[in-house]
């Protein structure tokens, strides 16, 4: 490749624009088909090769062929040419193909503004802090390329174009801030991104080993902040799907019943605020127990509390939300007397786990448990877990067809779902209604920026059984074999990655501080930017003195600010008209100095033309002046400086003194 000093300006500017385009398209690599990423990289590399070698651009038929091929591949991979995925794929291809048509400024402008549009498409997938910072750099690069396109003279440095682009961006920043604060929030517009959609530790089904695999995921599931003291770690249960139907392999949810949630709350509530990351489930894992009377209110969402105390949404949670609610950690729920609906929580599939069923029936037949109620039987099972030689591990291995038999009676190694499932099967074998509850349990040891962090690794499964007179009772067999998991709310540490493992091995405290610092910054971004909602817009207007703000008040505020901005811009333009360009001021100064030496020049004469007039009027005595004027001509039209170099005038003044006055 040619050195930068020998490269033509057109090649240099083209390579800079291609680098900016490549940076802008890079986040799409994980969303568009592989062929699209490969084609885009190949086209950008081809265009760079053409620019460096000053080779001719391909003909129109080549572009048409590439466009048709890209359209066919898009239809083959997406089965349509409409929609978000197909549209983004075509935009990426069109963006790169347009670089093969950079023959005139009009083509360059099309590329610039198409690039700004591609910047917006990145936010269709993620609005994270890293993506925002990356796209901010892309905007600066596109603005710098746009500035270069409007500097046709000389070879202006990239640094100067970049500085001018940065100033333009800073001038536009107040407008951006005002629009962000006051522009109305519409659900479909502000809820498009799907940051980490589908990444969750919860599911509507459970198979042994599924929760253990999620425990290796250290990503954040939710953040929670309390008004006042938080609950103790052993009370930090965030209730998710309740599983009651068992086919011998999978646990699934039972359909809701119209009886409604029968809840009695005791004690004082704990008010909390929660930020939930996206998931693939149409439910909210709220703090246990959040009743219907103190549940969240979410604009644009329909939610209800099921009979089994699951908070059900009308659609999957595909964007980050923020909510407020109240919970009672001391409560009762469920029927007090036997009802037909309890039969569903007693059923077991025939032909599965016969040894565990026989073991449970033998336990119930012991003399000390004759006629025992559900609470006594549950306590006996928990004692067996604590004293039976069981081990708590993230890697229990795979189990066969009768997984409960193999776990409960043979290997005795498992994760929380193994213990919860075996407990429920044993309770049902003794005729006691029981079910599995999945969700999250525990948080990080200390809050970050006032927020307690619940990770996917905190995904947990526990059990509930029904006690006559009291309703459903929680039983967590994991606490019997690994009490630190529940009492301290700490999950087993997953195997770290290469970078994190290396840092953690060298300096564990540094690794923890780095993660905490990043999560603090990311949380502030989420709370201040991504969670800026309509309600917070109205809160801002209230703080500004509007008693009952609505959409009309937002519109009025925008109109007033737009009018003020327009008046300010008009005043600036009027004042700017009376300013003189630095080159014009210097030209006038030079004209006056030459007139004092008897050389008449006009404002229309360039420095080189003035040098010729000096030679004609002063002869050899004026040669130093002519040399300085020619140097000024090179600075103005050769280097294309925005303002005159300060080093030039002292040399010109010295030459004036040598000539003297006539």
């Amino acid at each position: 490749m040619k050195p930068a000093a020998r490269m033509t300006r057109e090649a240099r500017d083209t390579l800079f624009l291609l680098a900016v385009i490549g940076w802008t398209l890079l986040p799409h690599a994980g969303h568009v088909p592989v062929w699209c990423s490969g084609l885009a990289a190949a086209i950008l590399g081809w265009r760079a090769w053409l620019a460096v070698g000053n080779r001719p651009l391909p003909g129109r038929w080549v572009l048409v062929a590439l466009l048709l091929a890209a359209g066919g591949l898009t239809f083959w991979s997406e089965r349509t040419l409409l929609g978000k995925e197909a549209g983004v794929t075509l935009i990426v291809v069109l963006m790169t193909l347009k670089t093969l048509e950079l023959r005139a400024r009009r083509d360059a402008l099309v590329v610039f503004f198409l690039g700004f549009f591609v910047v917006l498409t990145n936010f269709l997938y993620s609005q994270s802090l890293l993506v925002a910072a990356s796209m901010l750099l892309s905007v600066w690069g596109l603005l710098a390329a746009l500035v270069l396109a409007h500097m046709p003279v000389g070879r202006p440095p990239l640094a100067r174009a970049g500085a001018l682009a940065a100033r333009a961006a800073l001038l536009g920043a107040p407008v951006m801030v005002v629009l962000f604060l006051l522009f109305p929030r519409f659900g479909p517009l502000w809820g498009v991104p799907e940051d980490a959609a589908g990444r969750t530790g919860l599911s509507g089904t459970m198979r042994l080993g599924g929760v253990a695999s999620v425990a290796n995921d250290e990503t954040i599931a939710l953040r929670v902040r309390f008004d006042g003291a938080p609950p103790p770690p052993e009370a930090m249960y965030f209730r998710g799907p309740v599983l009651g139907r068992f086919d011998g392999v999978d646990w699934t949810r039972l359909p809701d019943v119209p009886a409604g949630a029968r809840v009695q709350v005791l004690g004082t509530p704990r008010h909390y605020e929660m930020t939930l990351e996206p998931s693939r489930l149409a439910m909210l894992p709220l703090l246990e127990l959040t009743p219907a009377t103190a549940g969240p209110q979410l604009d644009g969402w329909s939610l209800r509390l099921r009979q089994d105390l699951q908070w059900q949404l009308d659609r999957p949670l595909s964007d980050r939300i923020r909510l407020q609610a109240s919970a009672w950690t001391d409560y009762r729920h469920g029927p007090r007397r036997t009802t037909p609906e309890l039969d569903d929580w007693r059923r077991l599939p025939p032909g599965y786990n016969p040894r565990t069923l026989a073991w449970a029936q033998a336990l119930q037949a012991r003399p000390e448990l004759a006629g025992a109620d559900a609470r006594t039987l549950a306590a006996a099972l928990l004692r067996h877990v604590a004293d039976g030689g069981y081990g708590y591990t993230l890697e229990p291995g795979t189990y066969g067809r009768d997984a409960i038999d193999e776990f409960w009676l043979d290997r005795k190694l498992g994760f929380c779902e193994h213990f919860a499932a075996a407990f429920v099967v044993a309770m049902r074998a003794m005729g006691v209604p029981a079910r599995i509850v999945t969700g999250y349990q525990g948080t990080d040891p200390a809050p970050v920026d006032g927020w307690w962090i619940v990770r996917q690794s905190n995904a947990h499964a526990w059990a509930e059984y029904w006690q006559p007179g009291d309703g459903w009772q929680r039983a967590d067999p994991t606490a019997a074999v690994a009490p630190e998991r529940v009492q301290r709310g700490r999950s087993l540490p997953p195997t770290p990655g290469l970078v994190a493992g290396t840092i953690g091995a060298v300096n564990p405290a540094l690794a923890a501080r780095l993660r905490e610092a990043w999560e603090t910054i990311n949380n502030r971004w989420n709370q201040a930017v991504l969670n800026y909602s309509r309600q917070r817009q109205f809160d801002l207007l209230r703080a500004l003195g509007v008693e009952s703000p609505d959409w009309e008040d937002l519109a009025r505020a925008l109109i007033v600010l737009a009018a003020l901005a327009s008046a300010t811009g008009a005043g600036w333009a009027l004042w700017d008209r009376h300013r003189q360009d630095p080159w014009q001021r210097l030209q006038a100064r030079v004209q006056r100095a030459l007139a004092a030496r008897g050389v008449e020049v006009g404002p229309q004469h360039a420095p080189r033309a003035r040098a010729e007039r000096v030679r004609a009027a002063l002869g050899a005595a004026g040669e130093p002046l002519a040399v300085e004027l020619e140097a000024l001509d090179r600075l103005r039209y050769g280097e294309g400086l925005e303002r005159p170099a300060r080093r030039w005038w002292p040399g010109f003044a010295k030459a004036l003194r040598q000539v003297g006055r006539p």
Side-chain angles (χ1 to χ4, degrees), residues 129 572 603 639:
L129 180 58
W572 176 278
E639 299 184 18

Side-chain angles (χ1 to χ4, degrees), residues 14 23 94 112 119 164 287 316 318 324 466 506 536 547 623:
T14 301
W23 177 263
L94 290 174
F112 297 147
V119 167
L164 184 58
L287 184 64
S318 59
Q324 293 179 337
W466 184 77
V506 176
R536 294 181 67 183
E547 294 184 0
E623 186 62 25

Side-chain angles (χ1 to χ4, degrees), residues 448 503 507-521:
V448 176
I503 297 176
N507 191 335
L510 174 61
R513 286 197 299 270
L514 288 175
R515 186 173 79 165
E516 180 178 337
W518 167 247
E519 289 177 348
T520 298
I521 296 172

Side-chain angles (χ1 to χ4, degrees), residues 263-623:
V263 177
Q264 179 186 1
V265 294
L266 306 172
T268 57
R270 297 182 186 270
H271 306 290
Y272 65 94
E273 184 177 2
M274 179 182 289
T275 300
L276 273 167
E277 297 298 316
S279 71
R280 64 173 179 266
L281 295 179
M283 52 80 59
L284 300 176
L286 301 186
L287 184 64
E288 197 172 64
L289 169 78
T290 301
T293 55
Q297 300 294 325
L298 299 178
D299 292 339
W301 294 85
S302 175
L303 66 162
R304 62 184 176 86
L305 184 63
R306 286 170 45 116
Q307 184 269 344
D308 53 13
L309 301 187
Q310 301 175 65
W311 277 96
Q312 186 77 39
L313 292 172
D314 59 334
R315 62 186 185 275
L317 187 63
S318 59
D319 52 328
R320 184 181 292 108
I321 63 170
R322 185 175 181 176
L323 58 87
Q324 293 179 337
S326 299
W328 282 258
T329 56
D330 188 8
Y331 61 90
R332 294 179 181 178
H333 79 284
R336 303 295 186 266
R337 294 181 296 178
T338 300
T339 61
E341 67 192 60
L342 293 175
D343 293 338
D344 291 333
W345 307 104
R346 293 189 180 95
R347 292 192 176 95
L348 288 171
Y352 283 89
N353 307 299
R355 292 192 294 148
T356 300
L357 272 58
W359 180 93
Q361 292 166 3
L363 176 69
Q364 189 178 23
R366 292 179 182 178
E368 66 272 18
L369 295 178
D373 61 1
R375 184 177 286 110
T376 304
L377 294 174
L381 284 179
L382 295 177
R383 284 195 301 270
H384 175 77
V385 171
D387 302 333
Y390 290 90
Y392 183 68
T393 175
L394 282 176
E395 299 178 352
T398 58
Y399 286 91
R401 177 183 183 276
D402 295 316
I404 302 298
D405 277 356
E406 190 176 351
F407 161 72
W408 191 249
L409 300 172
D410 300 329
R411 292 166 57 182
K412 298 186 177 182
L413 290 175
F415 193 56
C416 60
E417 76 265 37
H418 296 82
F419 290 96
F423 180 91
V424 170
V425 168
M427 291 294 284
R428 290 187 178 187
M430 293 185 288
V432 178
R435 60 195 185 188
I436 295 175
V437 184
T438 60
Y440 300 99
Q441 198 282 323
T443 65
D444 279 3
V448 176
D449 201 25
W451 293 79
W452 296 87
I453 294 178
V454 179
R455 303 182 184 277
Q456 300 294 355
S457 57
N458 291 109
H460 192 52
W462 60 96
E464 286 183 341
Y465 64 90
W466 184 77
Q467 170 67 32
D470 293 326
W472 290 101
Q473 306 293 306
R474 181 197 299 151
D476 196 340
T478 302
V481 67
E484 69 280 355
R485 168 64 183 89
V486 176
Q487 294 174 6
R488 297 183 181 180
R490 298 182 183 179
S491 58
L492 291 178
T495 303
L498 178 61
V499 177
T502 303
I503 297 176
V506 176
N507 191 335
L510 174 61
R513 286 197 299 270
L514 288 175
R515 186 173 79 165
E516 180 178 337
W518 167 247
E519 289 177 348
T520 298
I521 296 172
N522 200 42
N523 180 55
R524 292 185 179 181
W525 167 263
N526 292 340
Q527 303 302 328
V529 178
L530 301 187
N531 289 327
Y532 187 76
S533 59
R534 286 182 292 177
Q535 186 59 45
R536 294 181 67 183
Q537 286 182 312
F538 293 153
D539 291 341
L540 175 63
L541 292 182
R542 290 190 188 93
L544 295 177
V546 181
E547 294 184 0
S548 300
D550 54 18
W551 297 114
E552 294 182 359
D553 296 312
L554 279 176
R556 280 193 288 268
L558 275 175
I559 291 173
V560 170
L561 289 175
L564 289 175
S566 300
T568 303
W572 176 278
L574 183 63
W575 175 77
D576 193 58
R577 287 179 57 189
H578 299 288
R579 294 199 310 162
Q580 197 174 31
D581 182 80
W583 284 105
Q584 293 179 348
R585 291 199 300 268
L586 179 61
Q587 291 283 60
R589 188 178 181 187
V590 170
Q591 181 180 350
R592 291 192 298 270
L594 293 178
R597 270 71 180 174
V599 181
E600 295 297 329
V601 297
Q604 75 277 8
H605 291 115
R608 185 175 296 276
R610 293 183 177 189
E612 297 300 328
R613 285 177 172 265
V614 166
R615 289 191 178 97
L618 302 178
E623 186 62 25

